[in-house]
Amino acid sequence: MKKHLPIRIVGTGAYVPDKIITNQHFVDYLDTSEEWILSRTGIHERHRAGPDEYTSTLGARAAQIAVEDAGLTFADIDLIICATATPDCLFPSTAAFIQKHLGVTDIPAFDLGAACAGFLYATTVAAGLLESGMHDNILVIGAETLSRFADPEDRTTAILFGDGAGAAVLSRSVRPEQGVLYWEWGTDGSRAEHIWFPAGGSRLYASETTVAERLHYLTMRGREVFKFAVSKMQVLIDRALSECGLDADDLKLMIPHQSNLRIIESARRRLELPAEKVAINIDRFGNTSSASIIMSLDENLRSGRLQEGDHVLMVAIGAGLTWSSMVVRL
Ligand code: UT7
């Protein structure tokens, strides 16, 4: 939708666990190879949460960095939204546990489930709440520990995912040219079983059978999702740019969700964007689902690659299947 939402990103943060898992880790016990993983996904390594780390602890670390970066304290934050597909537990929300770690009370906090499109979904919700005047400083977090949910014995998924978190503090902008210029979000529920955790919810609740059949692990129809992602990403990018009256040259950076380097490359080639205008972190972090875009945004703001006034296009496709695109002027 083309509607100017005057928000600004006042601070960002990211956090990944120390432990690094290289491709060799999987080559050592699975029927796979460094060559297959690298050429089919673009992943060199990914980070993995330690025994005392989980989604809310990663999210809380990223949140602390973002609030500090904004020059604010948690007393200034009036809403926390945590986008995650890998919550600490079914309930309460991971956002509530993040509050607990941060020593924050009383303000509303909730999770948003849109998988890999989660950060953009949460930013869209936050932008609407800021524009309406309901809130002033919203902390949006994307945090995941997918390593806990990918079957270590399944070579088709074990290699793909990494753990990490990113966070952004969003506020209203007083500069009319700044903010969200365009967003689009959607879901195709007919493809809900393309990527999912079959067991552990109310439909196939936990039992010895579900555990024995490894149904608590992520299941993905990779090839079908791949084809959907390639074509949908192109449609989303084309529409976002044309609705904003921008062309590829006007973009400082495209930040796509990092699910597969080949999906990103196909979008880049179609746009004829030079490689330096496309953000990549899948090589170092794997697929971090809702954290991938905000981790990249944080990295590029900190390095100075992104500056105030730049146009950034963010685009994601995830389980649901969900999708979202957003053009922001920083
Ligand atoms: O983030 C949310 C959205 N997720 C995505 O967008 C993921 C989209 N999908 C993908 O990224 C890719 O489909 C994968 C990386 C998951 C798989 O790559 P692919 O090129 O689509 O491979 P494939 O599933 O078509 O499998 C090709 C072959 C198969 O063997 P056969 O049947 O041809 O003998 C697989 O069993 O590759 C085999 N294979 C592997 N071989 C070595 C699958 N995983 C591996 C592996 N090592 N780790």
Side-chain angles (χ1 to χ4, degrees), residues 12-327:
T12 60
Y15 178 78
V16 288
D18 292 337
K19 191 175 173 64
I20 291 175
I21 304 290
T22 63
N23 292 340
Q24 186 61 41
H25 167 86
F26 299 102
V27 175
D28 286 344
Y29 78 95
L30 283 175
D31 179 16
T32 188
S33 65
E34 170 81 34
E35 197 280 328
W36 195 97
I37 299 172
L38 203 51
S39 64
R40 297 290 184 119
T41 69
I43 301 170
H44 283 276
E45 59 189 36
R46 65 295 279 148
H47 290 243
R48 182 171 287 182
D52 298 329
E53 293 177 305
Y54 35 96
T55 301
S56 65
T57 65
L58 305 187
R61 293 291 291 270
Q64 266 167 330
I65 299 166
V67 170
E68 198 181 306
D69 186 48
L72 299 175
T73 70
F74 281 97
D76 301 307
I77 303 296
D78 55 10
L79 171 66
I80 299 175
I81 308 176
C82 178
T84 186
T86 52
D88 285 8
C89 53
L90 273 180
F91 78 91
S93 67
T94 299
F97 286 109
I98 288 174
Q99 266 203 353
K100 181 182 168 200
H101 301 316
L102 296 169
V104 177
T105 49
D106 296 337
I107 62 166
F110 65 90
D111 285 0
L112 185 151
C116 304
F119 177 73
L120 294 184
Y121 264 57
T123 300
T124 302
V125 171
L129 293 172
L130 288 167
E131 197 215 13
S132 72
M134 283 177 71
H135 288 276
D136 295 323
N137 296 307
I138 302 180
L139 180 59
V140 175
I141 301 165
E144 305 285 4
T145 42
L146 271 147
S147 70
R148 301 265 156 82
F149 298 88
D151 185 347
E153 301 299 330
D154 177 0
R155 68 175 183 173
T156 68
T157 52
I159 56 145
L160 295 173
F161 300 101
D163 302 336
V169 178
L170 305 178
S171 306
R172 264 183 304 283
S173 176
V174 287
R175 291 179 43 221
E177 70 281 8
Q178 190 172 44
V180 174
L181 307 185
Y182 174 86
W183 82 93
E184 177 172 346
W185 54 353
T187 301
D188 178 358
S190 72
R191 298 174 204 260
E193 286 148 0
H194 279 30
I195 317 177
W196 66 316
F197 302 129
S202 62
R203 175 168 158 187
L204 204 54
Y205 48 92
S207 69
E208 285 177 16
T209 312
T210 60
V211 173
E213 293 179 359
R214 306 181 86 78
L215 295 171
H216 295 266
Y217 286 124
L218 180 146
T219 300
M220 178 166 73
R221 295 189 209 159
R223 188 116 285 268
E224 285 169 64
V225 178
F226 184 94
K227 283 189 206 152
F228 181 90
V230 166
S231 64
K232 191 74 185 177
M233 201 172 266
Q234 290 178 354
V235 170
L236 290 171
I237 291 170
D238 287 350
R239 197 153 47 216
L241 291 179
S242 75
E243 289 282 329
C244 292
L246 299 172
D247 61 36
D249 287 342
D250 299 316
L251 284 183
K252 185 65 190 281
L253 195 62
M254 176 171 81
I255 307 182
H257 166 53
Q258 311 277 313
S259 58
N260 190 312
L261 192 59
R262 288 183 293 144
I263 297 174
I264 298 170
E265 265 300 296
S266 125
R268 185 189 73 76
R269 277 198 301 273
R270 185 180 156 90
L271 263 178
E272 296 179 359
L273 269 182
E276 66 269 16
K277 284 202 172 189
V278 180
I280 303 292
N281 68 20
I282 190 171
D283 52 341
R284 291 162 288 144
F285 302 121
N287 180 346
T288 54
S289 193
S290 69
S292 78
I293 288 181
I294 175 58
M295 281 169 56
S296 178
L297 187 62
D298 174 69
E299 179 177 46
N300 286 291
L301 284 165
R302 277 172 197 279
S303 71
R305 188 179 183 188
L306 284 175
Q307 314 251 344
E308 210 166 274
D310 287 341
H311 286 106
V312 184
L313 167 64
M314 298 177 278
V315 58
I317 285 128
L321 293 178
T322 52
W323 59 85
S324 183
S325 63
M326 183 175 278
V327 178

